[in-house]
Amino acid sequence: MTKLHGIKALAFDAYGTVFDVHSVVTLAEKMYPGKGNELSQLWRSKQIEYMFLRTIMGRYIPHNQNTEAGLKYSLKYLGLPGGTSERRALMDAYERLSPFEDARQTLPKLNGVKRAILSVGTPSLLTNLVGNAGIADEFDALLSVDEVKVYKPHPRTYQLATDKFDLQRHEIGFVTSNYFDVAGAKAFGFQVIWINRNGAIPDEVGLLPDVELSSIAEIPNLLG
């Protein structure tokens, strides 16, 4: 396995990397039988689409508002009841996403380097996520794009990690399951670890990760 050298800190994407965004399916399926998975998939797609649109347009809103906007659209598109109570239940579930088991088991083994979450989530969302999951002690910092008022993959979002740890870009390993985040972090100058759990292929934008893994559990073997 390829080794990554000179890594002094690891920055983890939250949604889809440490936390399973589709763990809301159980509640969604209970609320809308036969439609839970479809709702979760469309909701996630709209979240990301709205992130990109708002960054390009310079019309940032905090991610909780962006997330609810994506939910509203998805409920309307699928013709599902989407009043205040339904949306509130699903939004509350988004603050209690389940961490992937490989993340839960591996994070304690990475205590030789600084560790941070670097996420589109607001500070309160991230605090609730790690707290509800019982993994708050595994991170030295929770870094939110809310501080710079743009979404990933804008370069200012990745700058949050270099500023926090006072490190050079190449001294930070960035861990993500999302290819757009791979591209953004690689363009910024991080050493990038792509957690490709589902065997996706990279987009044709000329930017590849330094290492591609199927599980966070493989990360300890990378650090030289």
Side-chain angles (χ1 to χ4, degrees):
M1 179 180 290
T2 300
K3 293 283 188 179
L4 297 182
H5 298 282
I7 297 292
K8 296 181 180 178
L10 290 169
F12 289 82
D13 169 58
Y15 297 110
T17 302
V18 174
F19 295 94
D20 183 0
V21 294
H22 297 300
S23 60
V24 298
V25 167
T26 300
L27 175 61
E29 186 62 27
K30 183 177 179 181
M31 293 173 65
Y32 308 110
K35 292 290 186 177
N37 185 65
E38 188 177 6
L39 173 59
S40 180
Q41 295 289 340
L42 181 58
W43 185 9
R44 174 62 171 166
S45 175
K46 283 297 168 182
Q47 278 184 321
I48 295 173
E49 181 182 334
Y50 291 177
M51 281 166 41
F52 294 166
L53 281 171
R54 289 190 170 278
T55 296
I56 292 168
M57 295 185 298
R59 297 177 67 93
Y60 175 86
I61 59 174
H63 194 52
N64 57 325
Q65 296 176 34
N66 189 65
T67 297
E68 187 162 11
L71 176 59
K72 285 181 180 179
Y73 174 90
S74 300
L75 291 167
K76 287 179 183 178
Y77 182 87
L78 296 172
L80 302 173
T84 302
S85 61
E86 289 91 350
R87 295 200 312 271
R88 187 70 265 153
L90 287 163
M91 289 293 292
D92 287 347
Y94 222 76
E95 296 189 11
R96 297 189 299 275
L97 295 175
S98 302
F100 287 103
E101 193 56 33
D102 60 350
R104 186 189 293 279
Q105 292 184 4
T106 306
L107 285 166
K109 301 176 183 178
L110 298 171
N111 55 11
V113 294
K114 295 288 186 181
R115 289 157 295 164
I117 289 279
L118 174 52
S119 173
V120 298
T122 62
S124 61
L125 281 173
L126 297 179
T127 298
N128 290 341
L129 267 179
V130 298
N132 290 333
I135 59 173
D137 291 344
E138 302 301 337
F139 297 102
D140 300 285
L142 303 177
L143 305 176
S144 168
V145 304
D146 201 49
E147 184 176 335
V148 291
K149 301 295 187 287
V150 290
Y151 283 110
K152 296 176 182 174
H154 195 286
R156 290 209 307 270
T157 63
Y158 304 111
Q159 186 69 40
L160 289 166
T162 58
D163 290 348
K164 174 63 181 179
F165 293 125
D166 193 23
L167 294 173
Q168 298 297 309
R169 299 178 185 192
H170 67 273
E171 295 177 314
I172 294 177
F174 187 76
V175 184
T176 183
S177 65
N178 300 297
Y179 177 76
F180 73 86
D181 221 0
V182 169
K186 183 65 177 177
F188 183 74
F190 286 153
Q191 296 191 60
V192 180
I193 302 166
W194 187 16
I195 307 301
N196 190 4
R197 293 186 176 94
N198 299 315
I201 62 173
D203 287 306
E204 295 292 336
V205 295
L207 292 162
L208 296 174
D210 293 274
V211 178
E212 181 179 334
L213 306 175
S214 61
S215 171
I216 285 177
E218 301 172 73
I219 291 178
N221 297 326
L222 288 180
L223 305 180

